[in-house]
Amino acid sequence: MKRRNYAKADIWSIESRVSAFGAAGIIVLLLGSSACTEPYEPNWLFQGEWIDIDGSDRTADETCAGTFAYVDAYAGALAVEFGVTEHLGPFRWYSPAQYAADLPCGDNIFACYLPSSQCIHSPLLPHDHEVVHMAVAATVSCPHVLSEGLAVFYDGQLGRNAKSSDFDLLVPLLEAPSHPRYPAYGIAGRFVAYLVEHFGVDAVFDVCRITGRYPDGPALSAALESVLGMTTQQLLADFKPELGSSCNRFSDFQARVFACGAAQAAPDLGLVSVDGQHRVEETFTIDCANDIMAGPLGDEMWLTRRFEIDADEIYILGMWGLDDGEEIPGVELTVAKCEPCGKVLTAPDSFSGPLQLDAGRYALELRAPADYRGRIYVTIQH
């Protein structure tokens, strides 16, 4: 395949996070040329419509068969959501040993996206958080608090929960929006979820267009007031009561953009109708070697689908194994309404029972241990 060229910039920013695996992160600003533009012969494992994957001491068989396509499709879902039309760039995927040897993001930094070269460096694949940074950077430069909040909110896998007491962490983040303070990923993501719900992601980007990457607190407040009609203090006063709700778990407030976004990137299971003529009946062969599976991440693999419900009603949701009996330990099914803080049901192992569902689109996620092999039957019907 034809190799692409990636633009350089004078300053590059390393963005990282406190991951679900416990690695600490910091933000570092560096001057100079990116590691992605140094003399290097890439090991292209995949070149997609939106993102290319370069394996540094990695081979394709070290990930599930559907992972590369998932990463590309996820990047495409973000691109559609953010209005991006150009290829986003390369994802350099390192073995843990190679990452430790190269330190492409600096000491004690778990992973990073380098805006200057449009390049991700990570020992994890998938790593949706950094792909979000890549897609946002293709749109606009945002201050740290909004950049990290967007990356948490639109992450499909490794987001963090928020809680009411985290409000005290958010206030200084907005007062000094260009400087990292940790741990604050969960509350930053929850606040951006609130902004996107009430004002839309385009409005958040408009704020970033005014502020650029390095505003101080008053400049951010002025931009928020100009675009959203509310100052920082007014937004905080409006947001604080929402932290008392039941929507502070990441699984409740995350965007689920892969299934629920404008691109409708997740494969469609179809319509479930109240008249019973349409239902979901699907058998999934769960195997890391199957190209429907993405991962592993945290020793889990998964698949994501979407479906529609045509009327508010009680439906029967069921899942069980078709091999070696119906028991499927470690397998988990999540069904989530595609709306802010919509209903989320997560059920482990085999089950069947009634569930009240409202009309609309839903995301369905099936997770299993990375070494699981077997057929899983899922049904949703009136």
Side-chain angles (χ1 to χ4, degrees):
M1 298 182 71
K2 184 178 179 181
R3 181 158 169 202
R4 298 177 176 87
N5 295 317
Y6 301 103
K8 298 180 182 179
D10 295 329
I11 299 178
W12 42 285
S13 170
I14 293 181
E15 309 275 0
S16 69
R17 60 179 299 182
V18 179
S19 82
F21 301 97
I26 59 173
I27 280 192
V28 179
L29 298 181
L30 299 174
L31 299 178
S33 62
S34 160
C36 279
T37 60
E38 293 173 358
Y40 173 83
E41 185 61 35
N43 174 32
W44 295 122
L45 301 178
F46 175 86
Q47 291 186 285
E49 180 180 358
W50 297 101
I51 202 166
D52 301 333
I53 297 172
D54 169 19
S56 183
D57 192 36
R58 288 285 197 179
T59 58
D61 60 3
E62 294 180 78
T63 189
C64 293
T67 298
F68 296 159
Y70 166 82
V71 173
D72 193 53
Y74 202 92
L78 293 167
V80 171
E81 203 76 6
F82 300 162
V84 177
T85 58
E86 299 297 322
H87 186 274
L88 294 174
F91 186 126
R92 186 166 293 170
W93 175 40
Y94 296 76
S95 69
Q98 194 65 51
Y99 190 87
D102 291 356
L103 294 176
C105 304
D107 292 338
N108 301 317
I109 300 179
F110 182 66
C112 63
Y113 167 69
L114 305 180
S116 62
S117 59
Q118 304 172 349
C119 183
I120 292 169
H121 297 269
S122 176
L124 290 184
L125 186 75
H127 200 158
D128 297 343
H129 184 99
E130 301 303 335
V131 176
V132 178
H133 277 311
M134 176 181 274
V136 170
T139 309
V140 68
S141 292
C142 288
H144 170 74
V145 62
L146 297 182
S147 175
E148 291 299 334
L150 286 162
V152 172
F153 176 53
Y154 283 102
D155 192 328
Q157 305 301 325
L158 296 178
R160 297 176 70 85
N161 298 335
K163 53 184 182 290
S164 297
S165 59
D166 289 344
F167 185 81
D168 292 336
L169 298 174
L170 179 63
V171 174
L173 276 175
L174 293 171
E175 291 175 346
S178 301
H179 303 286
R181 295 173 186 265
Y182 299 95
Y185 287 103
I187 192 63
R190 181 70 177 86
F191 181 65
V192 166
Y194 155 81
L195 293 178
V196 172
E197 176 187 354
H198 290 279
F199 305 100
V201 69
D202 289 342
V204 177
F205 288 158
D206 285 343
V207 171
C208 295
R209 291 185 179 97
I210 294 173
T211 65
R213 190 174 295 170
Y214 305 110
D216 58 16
L220 176 60
S221 185
L224 290 168
E225 185 174 23
S226 173
V227 176
L228 309 182
M230 300 172 72
T231 65
T232 297
Q233 291 304 314
Q234 290 170 328
L235 286 167
L236 286 171
D238 190 58
F239 170 66
K240 188 173 184 178
E242 291 203 6
L243 282 177
S245 73
S246 60
C247 191
N248 293 332
R249 295 183 309 168
F250 173 68
S251 60
D252 293 323
F253 70 75
Q254 69 181 111
R256 302 187 190 277
V257 66
F258 190 61
C260 299
Q264 302 188 47
D268 187 15
L269 293 176
L271 175 70
V272 180
S273 63
V274 72
D275 63 12
Q277 295 185 23
H278 302 278
R279 65 178 66 183
V280 167
E281 283 187 296
E282 195 80 15
T283 297
F284 299 104
T285 300
I286 307 301
D287 186 328
C288 193
N290 191 339
D291 63 10
I292 65 172
M293 303 305 299
L297 196 62
D299 201 35
E300 282 189 331
M301 58 182 170
W302 68 92
L303 60 82
T304 304
R305 298 292 185 265
R306 58 187 168 91
F307 66 94
E308 299 279 340
I309 294 288
D310 74 349
D312 301 357
E313 191 50 275
I314 295 176
Y315 298 85
I316 301 298
L317 177 65
M319 175 179 74
W320 55 86
L322 297 179
D323 301 309
D324 301 322
E326 295 184 356
E327 297 303 315
I328 45 176
V331 178
E332 183 177 87
L333 179 69
T334 296
V335 172
K337 183 78 157 51
C338 288
E339 63 181 25
C341 298
K343 176 180 288 187
V344 179
L345 169 74
T346 297
D349 209 337
S350 55
F351 70 93
S352 179
L355 179 65
Q356 175 71 47
L357 297 176
D358 296 334
R361 195 197 315 176
Y362 286 77
L364 182 148
E365 188 173 84
L366 189 60
R367 291 184 167 274
D371 59 356
Y372 184 88
R373 305 290 182 270
R375 293 179 301 151
I376 304 296
Y377 177 78
V378 175
T379 181
I380 307 166
Q381 58 187 307
H382 183 252

